[in-house]
Amino acid sequence: MAVKREIQASVKDQKLVEMRRGQMIRGAVSLFKQKGFHRTTTREIAKAAGFSIGTLYEYIRTKEDVLFLVCDSIYERVQNRLSSIDLETGSLQDLKLGIAHYFRIVDEMQDEVLVMYQEVKSLSNEARSYVLKKELEMVGMFDQLIRRCAENGELSLTRDHQKMLAHTIFVQGQMWGFRRWALQKTYTIDEYIRLQTDLLFPESSSKGLAEIGG
Amino acid sequence: MAVKREIQASVKDQKLVEMRRGQMIRGAVSLFKQKGFHRTTTREIAKAAGFSIGTLYEYIRTKEDVLFLVCDSIYERVQNRLSSIDLETGSLQDLKLGIAHYFRIVDEMQDEVLVMYQEVKSLSNEARSYVLKKELEMVGMFDQLIRRCAENGELSLTRDHQKMLAHTIFVQGQMWGFRRWALQKTYTIDEYIRLQTDLLFPESSSKGLAEIGG
Amino acid sequence: MAVKREIQASVKDQKLVEMRRGQMIRGAVSLFKQKGFHRTTTREIAKAAGFSIGTLYEYIRTKEDVLFLVCDSIYERVQNRLSSIDLETGSLQDLKLGIAHYFRIVDEMQDEVLVMYQEVKSLSNEARSYVLKKELEMVGMFDQLIRRCAENGELSLTRDHQKMLAHTIFVQGQMWGFRRWALQKTYTIDEYIRLQTDLLFPESSSKGLAEIGG
Amino acid sequence: MAVKREIQASVKDQKLVEMRRGQMIRGAVSLFKQKGFHRTTTREIAKAAGFSIGTLYEYIRTKEDVLFLVCDSIYERVQNRLSSIDLETGSLQDLKLGIAHYFRIVDEMQDEVLVMYQEVKSLSNEARSYVLKKELEMVGMFDQLIRRCAENGELSLTRDHQKMLAHTIFVQGQMWGFRRWALQKTYTIDEYIRLQTDLLFPESSSKGLAEIGG
DNA sequence: AATGAATGAGTGTTCATTCAT
DNA sequence: CATGAATGAACACTCATTCAT
């Protein structure tokens, strides 16, 4: 588990810091969504957060801090929602449910996921690695689910294949968000889930990939 | 086929325009790679291209033009290299070769692909759709290859599954670039190709996904 | 009466805005005087006003705003000083006093009047009409004075002649400023007033124009 | 008579220089009319003149040279047209005809006069004095006409009054151009001539100013 | 004599950040 | 703790002028 990366605040009252940063993040996400990190000014963030530019700087040190806070909070929320998945039982059925659950979270938090997806690269190296570490934790969740399936014989994959599959699943979730311009014109989230699941596990519908829908 | 989108130049000599823009693109790609589009200044671009800021603006009208030129040129080059694939014969073997070929192109043009991947969103709507249209053409290539396999019975997929697969393959290529921080530590491009191909077409090695490497 | 045309400021404290704009206008007039609007840079204006370029832009939005503020303030001041004229009594004597008063104001505010005179054309259409409306109000003052003289029989002029005379008087005032290179070498303001008054109202010295000084 | 002020040209062929400068002036006047001297670029001038920027600079040395050429040519043309006035006969009737003639020239060359009027200030001191000297020559013409009237008893004015009147007439001509926004909405040039003449010489219609139109 | 590509100083404007109140 | 006025480095872009061809 990654160590908490602290953003310095001048204000001491931790409850207040938490609250102000909440406002800040909500405002910033909505702005980044519209215009991206670089085109959003700190003044706009302060205004959207409901306080002055001076106050903003009482709770962060640089503009980049806002971006970090935003990315961090988004991962936190995704991870939170993902945590309802039971990693222990681990049948193929559970894996599929996990995937469906994850895809639906991405669908619901589309804007946030997109923002994070497009802006992490603007973080400093340190902040970026911190955030990406969280991403790997999520990939790890899928890896574990897949592993269980391998262990109970429902999937027969090498460790390398398992890990790659976990990565692929994770990216396919994000893909629903970052390729929405192409995908969401054609499919609903439910169709997307069904199609991708079919492609990932053709045999599980007792058909090979060669026979899906055949 | 998309209509050519022309960027206006003050200089009339077309050969010269071509050449200068070549220099400009090479310089810009290398800068965008390091610092992204927004953090790169027009002066830096001019310098990297080997001429003055005044000259830069003889060949473009706005900074965004540079980004468009860069994205356009990258797609052009990827597409060019992809064009060696024979879309007509269409056995499963050809599809796999096509995928491997595409993944290798992405590997070689990694920096460019990453740049384009991260910066398209900064283009104006018009320029972005133009570029994305090119992307869909590439997806279309895979779709056609897959369709052939379906037609000759090597793959049995509905049209929806076929299209989704085409998208997935395309994204998995890019994924090698944009998730290099995670993937390239662990795998070589050849391993990546093998693993992803295995996962995409498990039955083709006469094994279901459930048995790969088993 | 023209509606107030507001120039937007980022700074909220109205008293401060007033003060800073005062500094700005004083600095700008002196610069425009020397080098004209186009050859004066915003940085020079800021410096002359006594603050930084950043601060300048807290009180205006574009360079043109400065020009408008300058023109507006000059008219305001001229009009203010003119307002001491009593428009109601209206003997020929009052008209002449009014003219003399106006000519003296132009003399004292020579630089300002010249600046405004030469630079209004650089204003946007909207701003220009706003400023010119004020000019017409001043012309209107002379028109009213003349009208009174016509009503009490001291001048016998058609309405058209009255209006033209008002315009002419107004221009003759400005003329003292914009033709200073020719006039002020030869005449003092008092001589100018006397000569022009004689030419405008020859009969009033109980001589026709044909006999002035004869 | 002022000494000719020469603008240096690299090209030797005087006939060619004359011709090219003619093209240049025609193009420039039309541009200055629309956007003023400062907002017009040398490239635009070259284009409007029908040749390249390189060629433009074969016939002038700086952008200001173009402005000088333009102002000079306009004065030249006005003076040329004015030269048809007979300065010798000199009755009051001739003076009035001269005024009418001058006002009509201004009316016809309105755009040119306005351009010159608004842009002389952008000339260097040297060039400006040269041009203004020409203006004084024109004022001198009116002065001479007026003097004749004084000599033959039709006007009885001191020398000072005479000179002032000459200036005033000259400015009233320009006024028709530079105050067109106010005057030309209300009057035709013929009305303007009549009204101003009436105001200038009230007695000549055997009425004092006090009785015009009465 | 004519061209037009190249130059770079200079322009208006923005915006992250600070700090006195 | 909160405010918002002040700052100035930095930016995209322009344009008069030069000079090799």
Side-chain angles (χ1 to χ4, degrees), chain B residues 122-180:
Chain B
S122 297
L123 288 172
S124 69
N125 287 339
E126 194 209 342
R128 192 171 50 249
S129 353
Y130 176 82
V131 169
L132 294 181
K133 209 174 289 170
K134 293 213 168 173
E135 191 166 309
L136 284 184
E137 287 173 31
M138 281 189 256
V139 173
M141 289 183 54
F142 289 110
D143 187 42
Q144 197 167 344
L145 284 170
I146 294 164
R147 202 170 192 168
R148 290 270 181 277
C149 297
E151 284 167 4
N152 70 17
E154 285 183 290
L155 285 177
S156 173
L157 296 165
T158 64
R159 275 303 285 135
D160 270 348
H161 284 94
Q162 289 169 28
K163 283 197 234 157
M164 184 62 78
L165 185 58
H167 266 291
T168 298
I169 290 168
F170 184 79
V171 169
Q172 281 178 0
Q174 295 191 324
M175 173 179 159
W176 175 249
F178 69 74
R179 285 182 80 78
R180 55 161 95 168

Side-chain angles (χ1 to χ4, degrees), chain A residues 97-159:
Chain A
L97 283 174
I99 290 172
H101 184 52
Y102 166 57
F103 282 16
R104 284 212 176 80
I105 291 170
V106 171
D107 182 51
E108 284 163 34
M109 295 184 59
Q110 230 171 102
D111 289 328
E112 284 84 353
V113 169
L114 195 57
V115 161
M116 214 214 42
Y117 197 76
Q118 293 180 331
E119 308 293 358
V120 244
K121 68 161 204 300
S122 297
L123 289 171
S124 69
N125 287 339
E126 195 214 350
R128 191 170 52 250
S129 348
Y130 176 82
V131 169
L132 294 181
K133 211 172 287 170
K134 294 213 169 173
E135 191 167 307
L136 284 184
E137 288 174 28
M138 280 188 257
V139 174
M141 290 182 55
F142 288 110
D143 188 42
Q144 197 166 345
L145 283 171
I146 293 164
R147 202 169 191 167
R148 290 271 182 277
C149 297
E151 285 167 3
N152 70 16
E154 285 184 292
L155 285 177
S156 171
L157 296 165
T158 65
R159 274 304 285 135

Side-chain angles (χ1 to χ4, degrees), chain A residues 112-214:
Chain A
E112 284 84 353
V113 169
L114 195 57
V115 161
M116 214 214 42
Y117 197 76
Q118 293 180 331
E119 308 293 358
V120 244
K121 68 161 204 300
S122 297
L123 289 171
S124 69
N125 287 339
E126 195 214 350
R128 191 170 52 250
S129 348
Y130 176 82
V131 169
L132 294 181
K133 211 172 287 170
K134 294 213 169 173
E135 191 167 307
L136 284 184
E137 288 174 28
M138 280 188 257
V139 174
M141 290 182 55
F142 288 110
D143 188 42
Q144 197 166 345
L145 283 171
I146 293 164
R147 202 169 191 167
R148 290 271 182 277
C149 297
E151 285 167 3
N152 70 16
E154 285 184 292
L155 285 177
S156 171
L157 296 165
T158 65
R159 274 304 285 135
D160 271 347
H161 283 95
Q162 288 169 28
K163 284 197 232 156
M164 184 62 77
L165 184 59
H167 267 290
T168 298
I169 289 168
F170 185 79
V171 169
Q172 281 178 1
Q174 294 191 325
M175 173 179 160
W176 176 249
F178 69 73
R179 287 184 78 80
R180 54 160 96 169
W181 56 274
L183 299 174
Q184 302 193 14
K185 272 194 274 191
T186 321
Y187 309 112
T188 64
I189 181 63
D190 286 320
E191 286 164 351
Y192 184 72
I193 291 171
R194 185 177 55 81
L195 291 170
Q196 288 289 30
T197 311
D198 286 347
L199 291 172
L200 285 168
F201 311 106
E203 87 298 348
S204 69
S205 51
S206 71
K207 301 176 187 179
L209 181 51
E211 299 160 45
I212 288 174

Side-chain angles (χ1 to χ4, degrees), chain C residues 117 121 128 132 135-136 164 167 171 174, chain D residues 29-30 32-34 74 103 105-118 171-189 192:
Chain C
Y117 202 75
K121 68 158 204 305
R128 194 171 49 249
L132 293 181
E135 191 166 309
L136 284 184
M164 184 62 77
H167 266 291
V171 169
Q174 295 190 324
Chain D
V29 166
S30 130
F32 292 173
K33 215 182 289 184
Q34 296 164 45
I74 294 174
F103 281 17
I105 291 170
V106 172
D107 183 51
E108 284 162 34
M109 295 184 58
Q110 228 171 105
D111 289 329
E112 283 85 352
V113 168
L114 195 57
V115 161
M116 212 215 43
Y117 199 76
Q118 292 181 331
V171 169
Q172 281 179 359
Q174 296 191 323
M175 173 179 161
W176 176 248
F178 70 71
R179 286 183 80 79
R180 53 160 95 167
W181 57 274
L183 298 175
Q184 302 194 14
K185 273 195 273 190
T186 321
Y187 309 112
T188 64
I189 180 64
Y192 184 71

Side-chain angles (χ1 to χ4, degrees), chain C residues 26 63 174 182:
Chain C
R26 270 190 299 283
K63 189 187 175 191
Q174 295 190 324

